[in-house]
Amino acid sequence: EPEVTQTPSHQVTQMGQEVILRCVPISNHLYFYWYRQILGQKVEFLVSFYNNEISEKSEIFDDQFSVERPDGSNFTLKIRSTKLEDSAMYFCASRRPGAYEQYFGPGTRLTVT
Amino acid sequence: GENVEQHPSTLSVQEGDSAVIKCTYSDSASNYFPWYKQELGKRPQLIIDIRSNVGEKKDQRIAVTLNKTAKHFSLHITETQPEDSAVYFCAASRGTGTASKLTFGTGTRLQVTL
């Protein structure tokens, strides 16, 4: 069964550095999402993306964040200048057109020191 | 925006007993309510969902009920087993269009004891 994949599984970075988190959605899915989960807390929506555009974004998704679909398979989240409070698990999810279900990737644990 | 509340935060049951987790939502435009199971360090895994045009859905030992009027929905697990131990999240969304973000509840840690 196809699954969403994410790389890397764990990223350690210093405060102020840029990071790029990568996701490969399920192949026939056209709606893409990033969520994050701070340790021990609930999953929070960051941004959704469809047809090469951001559809929705949350208050968390400020100017330091950007998303891109650089080719036909990858979907990336960039954090320009990381802060300590960006430390979290970042999940990518995808959904096919007309369906309700969102399927999550295994996550990237981002640690900002 | 949507606000989803979830209770209880922790739930301990004996193997074979039933477990019930309850959620409420605020946005009357929400029409899709999935439940995710998350084991430690793993991805949220969709286990069951319900749409606003039905009141109940069952899949083996798991069932979900929805009361649109009261904006309540619940997860019921019968004959619990140790492998049901995990954190369960409810969520709500407006469906299949571009406004389809999931708003999650705060999670319920279910522990099934022998």
Side-chain angles (χ1 to χ4, degrees), chain B residues 13-67:
Chain B
V13 299
Q14 284 200 319
E15 184 180 6
D17 287 351
S18 295
V20 180
I21 303 170
K22 297 183 179 183
C23 289
T24 61
Y25 63 99
S26 61
D27 184 358
S28 56
S30 289
N31 60 5
Y32 173 64
F33 307 93
W35 287 87
Y36 286 84
K37 176 183 180 182
Q38 188 178 33
E39 296 174 1
L40 192 61
K42 300 285 183 66
R43 76 184 79 194
Q45 185 180 8
L46 179 67
I47 56 170
I48 195 167
D49 56 14
I50 192 166
R51 301 176 198 175
S52 60
N53 58 347
V54 298
E56 186 171 356
K57 183 177 176 181
K58 192 172 180 183
D59 182 4
Q60 299 183 349
R61 296 186 297 109
I62 294 173
V64 59
T65 58
L66 170 65
N67 182 330

Side-chain angles (χ1 to χ4, degrees), chain A residues 5 9 20 25 27 30-32 41 43 50 52 56 59-61 66 73 75 78 84 88 93 99 102-103 113:
Chain A
T5 60
S9 57
I20 297 176
S27 64
L30 299 180
Y31 291 85
F32 313 122
Q41 297 186 21
V43 178
Y50 170 73
N52 282 319
E56 293 181 281
E59 292 174 355
I60 303 168
F61 194 88
S66 62
S73 59
F75 179 52
K78 182 195 290 187
L84 293 175
Q102 293 185 27
Y103 293 95
T113 61

Side-chain angles (χ1 to χ4, degrees), chain A residues 3-4 31 33 35 37 41-45 48 50 55-56 89 91 95 98-106, chain B residues 3-4 31-32 36 38 41-44 46 49 51 89 95-107:
Chain A
E3 287 189 330
V4 178
Y31 291 85
Y33 308 82
Y35 294 86
Q37 186 178 33
Q41 297 186 21
K42 68 177 178 180
V43 178
E44 299 175 289
F45 168 76
S48 61
Y50 170 73
S55 307
E56 293 181 281
M89 182 76 96
F91 292 105
R95 173 173 71 83
Y100 290 81
E101 303 85 356
Q102 293 185 27
Y103 293 95
F104 282 71
Chain B
N3 182 46
V4 177
N31 60 5
Y32 173 64
Y36 286 84
Q38 188 178 33
K42 300 285 183 66
R43 76 184 79 194
L46 179 67
D49 56 14
R51 301 176 198 175
F89 290 96
T96 61
T98 53
S100 56
K101 67 179 182 185
L102 291 172
T103 301
F104 283 84
T106 48

